Each structure stands twice: as structure tokens, then as C-alpha cells.
């Protein structure tokens, strides 16, 4: 990298070849919000080989990228990761491979910043792992969901893992606690899902014949006096899919403030549950370089274990 007066000139290496210029900048400019990245690209302040490019331009090895000096207004800057969050994320890595890592995502932390959220998991982890030049999400988890989250540490690994996801060679299993007795015979829920604006900028999902195809496999893991511990395997990957399909089947997840029921709210309070009971328990995927299957499990968080113990003794 060579620098002019407050201007950076960065040569694209083999590992960044094929990456979109906006994603290249977001990864490199830690602490800079996406909106600002798109703005400087749109204004032509970012140049590749001295030419203007669009945000979706695919970089090639040897390209020379001009990055202008940036001064962030306080309201624009991505929040610096706190010491507590830094330690939490550093201790949440379950397994790390040469081109990937699996994190046990904490509940309550969105994977991306935005919509009033100054910092998300990916922005925070890029600050924590300053040793990594590349770090991208392979898939997402809802803000209130905990468990296995896969990230790529190189572009080739990201492409390989995205392809595995597209070809359904990635297996994701979730644990959920629902109100009532889930019928042992009910295995699949197929119901089209549609996203809509619920007001105040909040986006929700509902079952709608005009929506996108969605299918979830459910299995009873443990029948409890007033609830059922179920395993959910999303065959498709729609937003809030497990939560909406479970509610549509008549068995909403406990602790679900968007799609829950009064019965579920009452039971959650009785069990001392103060969060959504949805946990990405296991993840199986082909290792990007060898193709060998990798299986990772994330232990159930203490607060969910405590609620489950209460549910086993509920009367």
C-alpha cells in the first residue's frame, strides 16, 4: 500500500480478487458505516485504476484502489466495541479453521449495525480480530437467537461456503421451546412467508399465499408438562421462518415478543424466561479447502438451561 497526502492507494491481492468494491471498503475501513461507503463511491471519490466505478464493481488482482480521507461526524461513526463486548466475542469462538470460524452468537446482539444500532456483531468482531484482513458473514441469525454462526476469513472460503449453502449441503439445527404439546406426527410445516412493515420501521413476517416458498422440518426432542422442546431444521432460509411457522402451527415459541401468544407469555414468566427460546444448536458444513464435513455444536446458554429445568418441573 502506498499513501499520498491523506489518500490511501491499495493494491488488490489475490485474496480480494472477485470481491465487490463496496464490501472491500467496508471490510478495510473499520468503523465506517455502509451509508458513507456508498456515498463516497457514488460521488466518485473512490477510484479503481484512476477510473470511477459503481459499488458492485468486482475487483481484480492488481487493481489499484484510491480511498479518500474520511472524517466522520459523531452521529455517523460506528461505535467502538466496549471492553465487555470485546471479551464476550473473543470468548465466543467455538472452532476456527484456516478460512472460517464458528461463533456462539450471544442473544440480543444483531449481526449487522443499522436502523439505530451503532454496532453489530460483524462490525464489533472486525475490531476485535484486527489480525484478519477479511471477515464476512456466511449466513445470519435473528438478533434474539443464540448459537452457531459461521463466518468466512477469506473470499475463496466465503464463495465455497455460499455455494454449499445454495446447494443445501449445509445442515442447521435449532432448539426451541414452545407452549403446549407439539404433536409427534407433525413433521413439516410448509407455508409461504411474506415480509411487511409493521410500523415504526419494524419489519415482520406473516403467512401469505402470495409470499415466498418456505419449509421447516420439526421434530419433538422432549415432551414437557406444559411445553415441548423441539428441534427445527429450516429447509429454506426465510426471515423469522422458524418462529412464524411454529406460531402458524399453533405452537408459538416461548419468549417471542413478535409472534408469541398470551399463553406463551404467561408460561415464559412462570419459567423465569426473559428472552426468545431459540438456539442454533448445531451446524454441519463442508470444509472449504478439503470438502470434509465439519460439525459444530453450541451449548445451550445458562438462561435457557435454567428455563428448561423449570419447564421439566412445571405443574
Amino acid at each position: 500500500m502506498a499513501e499520498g497526502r491523506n489518500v490511501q492507494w491499495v493494491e488488490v491481492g489475490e485474496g480480494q480478487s472477485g470481491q465487490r468494491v463496496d464490501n472491500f471498503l467496508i471490510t478495510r475501513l473499520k468503523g465506517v458505516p455502509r451509508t458513507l461507503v456508498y456515498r463516497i463511491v457514488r460521488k466518485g471519490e473512490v477510484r479503481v485504476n484512476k477510473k470511477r466505478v459503481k459499488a458492485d464493481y468486482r475487483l481484480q488482482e492488481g487493481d489499484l484502489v484510491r480511498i479518500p480521507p474520511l472524517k466522520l461526524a459523531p452521529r455517523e461513526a460506528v461505535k467502538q466495541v466496549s471492553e465487555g463486548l470485546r471479551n464476550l466475542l473473543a470468548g465466543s469462538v467455538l472452532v476456527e479453521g484456516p478460512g472460517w470460524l464458528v461463533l456462539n452468537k450471544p442473544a440480543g446482539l444483531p449481526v449487522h449495525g443499522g436502523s439505530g444500532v451503532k454496532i453489530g456483531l460483524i462490525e464489533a468482531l472486525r475490531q476485535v480480530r484486527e489480525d484478519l484482513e477479511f471477515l464476512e458473514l456466511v449466513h445470519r441469525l435473528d438478533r434474539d437467537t443464540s448459537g452457531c454462526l459461521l463466518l468466512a476469513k477469506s473470499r475463496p472460503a466465503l464463495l465455497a461456503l455460499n455455494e454449499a449453502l445454495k446447494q443445501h449441503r449445509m445442515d442447521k439445527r435449532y432448539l426451541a421451546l414452545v407452549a403446549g404439546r407439539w404433536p409427534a406426527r407433525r413433521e413439516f410445516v410448509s407455508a409461504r412467508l411474506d415480509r411487511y412493515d409493521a410500523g415504526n420501521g419494524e419489519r415482520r413476517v406473516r403467512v401469505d399465499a402470495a409470499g415466498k416458498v418456505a419449509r421447516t422440518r420439526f421434530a419433538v426432542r422432549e415432551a414437557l408438562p406444559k411445553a415441548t422442546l423441539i428441534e427445527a431444521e429450516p429447509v429454506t432460509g426465510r426471515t423469522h421462518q422458524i418462529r412464524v411457522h411454529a406460531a402458524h402451527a399453533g405452537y408459538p415459541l416461548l419468549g417471542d415478543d413478535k409472534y408469541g401468544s398470551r399463553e406463551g407469555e404467561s408460561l415464559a414468566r412462570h419459567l423465569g424466561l426473559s428472552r426468545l427460546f431459540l438456539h442454533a444448536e448445531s451446524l454441519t458444513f463442508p470444509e472449504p479447502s478439503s470438502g470434509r464435513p465439519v460439525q459444530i455444536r453450541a451449548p445451550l446458554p445458562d438462561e435457557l438451561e435454567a428455563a428448561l429445568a423449570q419447564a421439566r418441573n412445571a405443574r
Side-chain angles (χ1 to χ4, degrees), residues 128-144:
V128 173
R129 293 299 300 270
E130 293 181 315
D131 58 310
L132 300 177
E133 289 189 3
F134 184 99
L135 190 61
E136 291 289 345
L137 294 162
V138 175
H139 65 108
R140 299 184 180 192
L141 291 178
D142 291 348
R143 177 177 188 155
D144 299 320

Side-chain angles (χ1 to χ4, degrees), residues 47-234:
R47 302 280 176 127
V48 179
N49 302 327
K50 300 184 179 180
K51 296 179 182 177
R52 294 177 69 127
V53 293
K54 293 184 177 180
D56 60 357
Y57 172 81
R58 300 279 178 178
L59 295 167
Q60 301 299 317
E61 185 178 1
D63 277 352
L64 199 60
V65 182
R66 177 193 187 274
I67 304 177
L70 299 175
K71 292 183 179 180
L72 299 180
R75 61 182 177 81
E76 287 186 309
V78 171
K79 182 181 176 184
Q80 290 298 303
V81 63
S82 67
E83 194 63 26
L85 181 55
R86 180 181 293 272
N87 293 335
L88 177 63
L89 292 178
S92 295
V93 176
L94 292 168
V95 183
E96 186 164 353
W100 53 270
L101 64 84
V102 178
L103 196 77
N104 188 1
K105 176 192 168 297
L109 180 64
V111 293
H112 270 303
S115 301
V117 178
K118 283 289 188 181
I119 190 167
L121 181 145
I122 186 64
E123 293 88 2
L125 198 57
R126 283 171 181 155
Q127 292 183 39
V128 173
R129 293 299 300 270
E130 293 181 315
D131 58 310
L132 300 177
E133 289 189 3
F134 184 99
L135 190 61
E136 291 289 345
L137 294 162
V138 175
H139 65 108
R140 299 184 180 192
L141 291 178
D142 291 348
R143 177 177 188 155
D144 299 320
T145 305
S146 55
C148 294
L149 182 67
L150 179 60
L151 299 98
K153 300 195 296 183
S154 71
R155 179 159 179 77
L158 178 64
L159 294 176
L161 292 168
N162 279 342
E163 188 64 22
L165 194 60
K166 190 184 303 181
Q167 294 181 1
H168 302 287
R169 292 188 292 121
M170 196 174 290
D171 183 277
K172 293 183 284 184
R173 305 292 175 101
Y174 295 75
L175 279 184
L177 191 64
V178 301
R181 288 292 189 94
W182 186 283
R185 67 185 180 278
R186 183 183 288 278
E187 188 170 334
F188 281 99
V189 173
S190 296
R192 289 175 175 266
L193 300 179
D194 181 52
R195 297 176 70 174
Y196 68 99
D197 189 348
N200 299 323
E202 185 182 6
R203 302 181 78 178
R204 293 197 184 185
V205 177
R206 62 189 166 199
V207 172
D208 191 311
K212 294 182 178 179
V213 172
R215 198 177 194 208
T216 309
R217 186 191 70 82
F218 292 99
V220 173
R221 184 74 72 88
E222 185 178 356
L224 304 167
K226 295 183 178 181
T228 309
L229 182 66
I230 59 171
E231 176 186 283
E233 178 191 356

